[in-house]
Amino acid sequence: MGMISEELDTDQKYYTQRLKRIVYEFYQEHRESCAEQYNMAEAPDIDQLYENIEKKELNRILAHVSVVVLTANKYEKNILHSNWSKRTDHKKIYKTTIPVLASGGDEYEPTAYLFEWHGYQVMHIAAIYTGSYTIGGSADIVRYIVDSPRLNPSVIISYGICFGLNENNQKMGDVIISDKVYPYFIGSKINENGYYVKDDNVFRIRRKIKGKLQNGMDENYFKDFGFSVSIGNYLTGEAVVSDFTFREAISRITTQDVNAGEMEGYGLFKECYSRDCIIPCLIIKSICDWGALKNTRDTDLFEEICGKSDKYGLDEIKTVKDRIQAYASYHSFLVLDKLLEKKVFLGSLYEQLKRNIIEDKNENGIYNVHVQKKLKALSKLYYQTNRANKQRTTKIIDALVAEKVLQSPEKCLDEDIHKRGKRNKDFWKINRT
């Protein structure tokens, strides 16, 4: 027994030293790029990217939201905003808070950001905590999105960084876009045959999105990026994985290949796929570590591979993990930027509804019930179910009135259509000018 234990200790020490070397060699190769992104994320004036938004304007913009992006990490958030701002000639990002009801009844207010990206109105929500079913995790935020009558997104994306599962065949900075998502706690079983997950707790992205993503691969969307972009399977769970033995155990919970692991995907897919609708969702994340030795700090090995830290300051070795996270987050930004540029996702449901109303030349006006009927047809296209309840229809009409697509009922008489000369609060005159 003692000899076996010594062999295991020797193997673990060998692996630990090898993994440190892989991390530091990668860092040395991409040191300048890591520093650039890290400095952007740590910029003392990053608050200058934002401006507050008035309630009236907020309500109008929320109707247009088609893409929701979720992050759970400072570097994911700051790299997304800094690089978007850089590419848009330093446009401002609207900033607000949203009232999210957490499990247990407590309400908290994560920050939401609004900006336009390749013609999509994007809403980015920065979670207060990592994980899926932690209080304030991804599940709470997705429930808010699904339940809000003001929001009708075409896709929700969990975005940022993940851990890789094969340091021999993968590299830090590689991006994995999710296909299937395997939770390694929920629905798992441990018996004499091992540790595995039942198929009925596995989620996968919608086939239409998978087809468009595969088309993008075939058409070499990411050919010149200098890092690998692939469609693969994720492990997802609540634990911060920083142990090689545990990583190896959970990587064998299915006979399918798994490529990466993260913490928010289960809450995202569970809430998007099991409520009163199916909202398309996926994960876009870049490898920033290997699920082991997340906080390693070996000064001697670092200086052997990278040299002294004179150029970047004495704290460089302390921030290697953060610098790589910033660099990996930038790769996720590049991939999402390309997917939006290539129009992989559906546009705004609201914009499509507005076009349907304006382009119907047979009518000068429209009733609430007919707006709801059009919304019903579109919601089946977007979500495979009817979400056109009275409250959601009312919010859509409010936005159309605010944009002067529909004329306020206070100014609209039934005589415009029926010559009866009395007001009708359910009738709206269509303004096509």
Side-chain angles (χ1 to χ4, degrees), residues 368-385:
N368 287 17
V369 65
H370 296 133
V371 175
Q372 188 166 346
K373 184 177 179 181
K374 289 177 182 291
L375 180 58
K376 176 181 177 181
L378 281 175
S379 66
K380 285 187 175 181
L381 172 65
Y382 277 67
Y383 311 120
Q384 299 183 348
T385 189

Side-chain angles (χ1 to χ4, degrees), residues 326-383:
Y327 178 72
S329 295
Y330 176 56
H331 285 189
S332 294
F333 171 86
L334 291 175
V335 170
L336 181 53
D337 180 70
K338 181 61 68 173
L339 294 177
L340 296 176
E341 177 192 336
K342 295 294 186 178
K343 306 300 180 189
V344 168
F345 310 113
L346 287 174
S348 165
L349 180 149
Y350 173 82
E351 282 293 333
Q352 185 60 56
L353 178 65
K354 185 166 75 171
R355 281 195 296 271
N356 288 355
I357 291 172
I358 292 173
E359 291 172 2
D360 187 353
K361 304 295 186 181
N362 295 321
E363 297 291 344
N364 293 321
I366 191 167
Y367 286 88
N368 287 17
V369 65
H370 296 133
V371 175
Q372 188 166 346
K373 184 177 179 181
K374 289 177 182 291
L375 180 58
K376 176 181 177 181
L378 281 175
S379 66
K380 285 187 175 181
L381 172 65
Y382 277 67
Y383 311 120

Side-chain angles (χ1 to χ4, degrees), residues 25-197:
E25 286 177 349
F26 173 86
Y27 177 70
Q28 170 61 9
E29 182 181 355
H30 302 282
R31 200 172 185 178
E32 295 288 341
S33 297
C34 288
E36 179 186 5
Q37 295 301 320
Y38 175 76
N39 290 335
M40 288 173 69
E42 293 288 347
D45 60 348
I46 197 166
D47 63 317
Q48 298 302 307
L49 298 178
Y50 310 114
E51 66 180 11
N52 293 325
I53 184 171
E54 294 180 1
K55 184 177 180 181
K56 184 178 180 181
E57 181 68 0
L58 174 63
N59 290 336
R60 185 191 70 79
I61 290 179
L62 288 179
H64 288 268
V65 167
S66 51
V67 175
V68 175
V69 176
L70 309 181
T71 63
N73 174 287
K74 167 185 174 178
Y75 294 101
E76 295 170 343
K77 173 177 75 72
N78 287 3
I79 293 300
L80 171 63
H81 294 171
S82 297
N83 282 283
W84 177 86
S85 177
K86 185 178 178 181
R87 290 193 173 207
T88 57
D89 195 27
H90 305 291
K91 287 184 179 179
K92 293 288 188 178
I93 296 171
Y94 286 129
K95 178 180 177 181
T96 187
T97 57
I98 55 174
V100 171
L101 189 65
S103 304
D106 290 335
E107 187 174 279
Y108 69 104
E109 294 188 338
T111 304
Y113 305 88
L114 295 152
F115 49 96
E116 190 174 319
W117 195 355
H118 290 306
Y120 291 93
Q121 182 62 56
V122 175
M123 182 180 194
H124 164 223
I125 303 175
I128 295 174
Y129 301 106
T130 59
S132 291
Y133 282 93
T134 50
I135 294 176
S138 63
D140 288 339
I141 292 174
V142 174
R143 275 197 300 274
Y144 164 81
I145 297 164
V146 174
D147 292 342
S148 172
R150 297 187 296 176
L151 290 170
N152 299 282
S154 63
V155 66
I156 304 177
I157 300 168
S158 184
Y159 160 97
I161 53 177
C162 61
F163 64 87
L165 291 168
N166 191 332
E167 60 276 8
N168 296 314
N169 297 321
Q170 298 172 314
K171 291 183 179 180
M172 286 187 287
D174 288 352
V175 173
I176 295 93
I177 304 171
S178 63
D179 183 7
K180 295 179 183 177
V181 176
Y182 292 87
Y184 56 78
F185 285 151
I186 306 296
S188 61
K189 282 193 173 183
I190 303 173
N191 60 23
E192 65 278 3
N193 296 316
Y195 176 32
Y196 63 95
V197 169

